[in-house]
């Protein structure tokens, strides 16, 4: 991807190296809605998230300082690109886009949704409208998910920003409310629709990247492969050797790729109505 030396977003809060205070009272995110990019490490992603399994949270970042600096810049540039995309969309609807804040942190950090932990992967907290990202997730993607490259990482940020857009449009609160009044399986199905829509919204960013010639050879494939890598069937197979479709909260690899591509090809939010389709 072309990102070096390009415009960076200023909506970034850098909490890296502030240390994590995981443990003690109020640990974990319990019963508060957050939106992750994929169902990692046995974390329940039904919207109402249980206590994450810690384990890997306190580990040192395996990134070199050069890698870290590059990912820092990449993240800020991708965030700026999403801001251009969504500011344009909102202004065409006669309103204004309020950008999300990207919080960079290491290991653990406080959020309005509880204690965020790197082990959960990147996530969006609707209560403070912030996207939380530990840059070492890049290494997790590469090593654990087999998804590497700048476009893969950019997809993750665009997906989380997609949740922010859902929040601004009122979709997120509406769906979360609907989830309260149905059973587990149906709540999961609603979560899948929400997640696939965030993938489609990430695709709208990708559409912009294609138009602006920000993608280099192989980048589209890289981003699509990242969407595939975080499919529930793939992650469940990896974790437990089999997949349980009723427990899916993000959609299968095939669905995630399909909705991402749909957004990328059309660049049109009207094609992202996952709630109208089966
Ligand atoms: Zn998500």
């Amino acid at each position: 991807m072309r990102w070096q030396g390009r415009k960076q977003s200023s909506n970034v809060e850098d909490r890296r190296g502030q240390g994590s205070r995981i443990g003690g009272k109020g640990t974990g995110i319990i019963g508060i809605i957050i939106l992750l990019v994929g169902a990692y490490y046995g974390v329940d992603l039904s919207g109402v998230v249980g206590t994450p399994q810690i384990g890997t949270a306190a580990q040192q970042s395996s990134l070199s300082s050069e890698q870290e600096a590059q990912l820092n810049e990449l993240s800020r540039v991708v965030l700026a690109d999403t801001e251009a995309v969504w500011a344009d969309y909102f202004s065409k609807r006669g309103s204004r886009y309020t950008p999300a804040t990207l919080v960079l942190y290491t290991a653990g950090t406080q959020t309005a949704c509880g204690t965020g932990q790197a082990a959960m992967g990147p996530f969006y907290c609707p209560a403070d409208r912030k996207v939380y990202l530990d840059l070492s997730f890049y290494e997790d993607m590469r090593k654990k998910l087999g998804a590497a490259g700048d476009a893969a990482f950019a997809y993750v940020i665009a997906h989380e920003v997609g949740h922010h857009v859902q929040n601004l449009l009122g979709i997120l609160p509406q769906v979360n409310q609907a989830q309260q009044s149905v059973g587990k399986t149906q709540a999961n199905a609603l979560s899948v629709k929400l997640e696939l829509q965030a993938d489609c919204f990430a695709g709208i960013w990708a559409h912009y990247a294609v138009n602006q010639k920000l993608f280099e050879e192989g980048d589209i494939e890289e981003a699509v492969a990242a969407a595939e890598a975080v499919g529930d069937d793939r992650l469940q197979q990896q974790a437990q050797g089999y997949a349980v479709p009723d427990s899916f909260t993000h959609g299968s690899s095939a669905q995630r790729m399909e909705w991402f591509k749909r957004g990328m090809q059309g660049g049109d939010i009207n094609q992202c109505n996952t709630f109208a389709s089966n």
Side-chain angles (χ1 to χ4, degrees), residues 53-96:
Q53 291 163 8
I54 301 169
T56 57
Q59 74 187 181
Q60 280 290 317
S61 169
S62 51
L63 297 171
S64 69
S65 55
E66 194 195 336
Q67 263 183 317
E68 175 121 8
Q70 288 188 343
L71 290 170
N72 178 26
E73 184 180 347
L74 169 66
S75 304
R76 290 165 189 259
V77 170
V78 171
L79 185 64
D81 286 334
T82 65
E83 286 164 1
V85 170
W86 294 111
D88 180 58
Y89 168 73
F90 277 80
S91 82
K92 280 176 182 153
R93 296 172 87 229
S95 63
R96 252 187 83 190

Side-chain angles (χ1 to χ4, degrees), residues 25 35 56 163 176 245 258:
K25 207 174 161 233
L35 289 307
T56 57
H163 285 309
N176 288 152
E258 186 201 318

Side-chain angles (χ1 to χ4, degrees), residues 6-201:
R6 292 189 42 239
K7 182 179 179 273
Q8 300 181 21
S9 171
S10 56
N11 298 307
V12 179
E13 212 180 299
D14 196 345
R15 300 184 191 167
R16 288 176 298 161
Q18 288 182 11
S20 61
R21 282 168 303 169
I22 297 169
K25 207 174 161 233
T27 295
I29 292 177
I30 302 163
I32 297 172
I33 290 145
I34 59 163
L35 289 307
L36 312 179
V37 75
Y40 300 105
Y41 310 108
V43 175
D44 179 1
L45 297 170
S46 57
V48 179
V49 174
T51 310
Q53 291 163 8
I54 301 169
T56 57
Q59 74 187 181
Q60 280 290 317
S61 169
S62 51
L63 297 171
S64 69
S65 55
E66 194 195 336
Q67 263 183 317
E68 175 121 8
Q70 288 188 343
L71 290 170
N72 178 26
E73 184 180 347
L74 169 66
S75 304
R76 290 165 189 259
V77 170
V78 171
L79 185 64
D81 286 334
T82 65
E83 286 164 1
V85 170
W86 294 111
D88 180 58
Y89 168 73
F90 277 80
S91 82
K92 280 176 182 153
R93 296 172 87 229
S95 63
R96 252 187 83 190
Y97 177 60
T98 313
T101 298
L102 174 67
V103 179
L104 300 175
Y105 73 101
T106 38
T109 196
Q110 293 306 316
T111 84
C113 296
T115 308
Q117 290 163 32
M120 302 181 329
F123 64 93
Y124 174 69
C125 169
D128 57 20
R129 296 182 166 186
K130 292 177 180 178
V131 173
Y132 291 86
L133 177 66
D134 181 323
L135 294 173
S136 69
F137 183 67
Y138 183 81
E139 280 295 279
D140 270 14
M141 280 180 77
R142 195 173 64 80
K143 288 183 188 155
K144 294 180 183 159
L145 306 175
D150 48 9
F153 200 63
Y155 150 77
V156 169
I157 295 169
H159 172 94
E160 293 305 332
V161 171
H163 285 309
H164 175 62
V165 172
Q166 290 176 317
N167 196 17
L168 295 180
L169 295 176
I171 298 166
L172 201 49
Q174 211 182 324
V175 172
N176 288 152
Q177 202 182 3
Q179 284 174 315
Q180 306 302 313
S181 57
V182 295
K184 183 83 176 162
T185 304
Q186 272 179 291
N188 284 347
L190 285 169
S191 170
V192 167
K193 288 176 189 294
L194 211 46
E195 294 297 335
L196 294 176
Q197 186 174 65
D199 282 334
C200 190
F201 286 3

Side-chain angles (χ1 to χ4, degrees), residues 225-236:
E228 183 181 22
V230 286
D232 286 320
D233 49 348
R234 173 84 77 94
L235 292 172
Q236 288 189 359

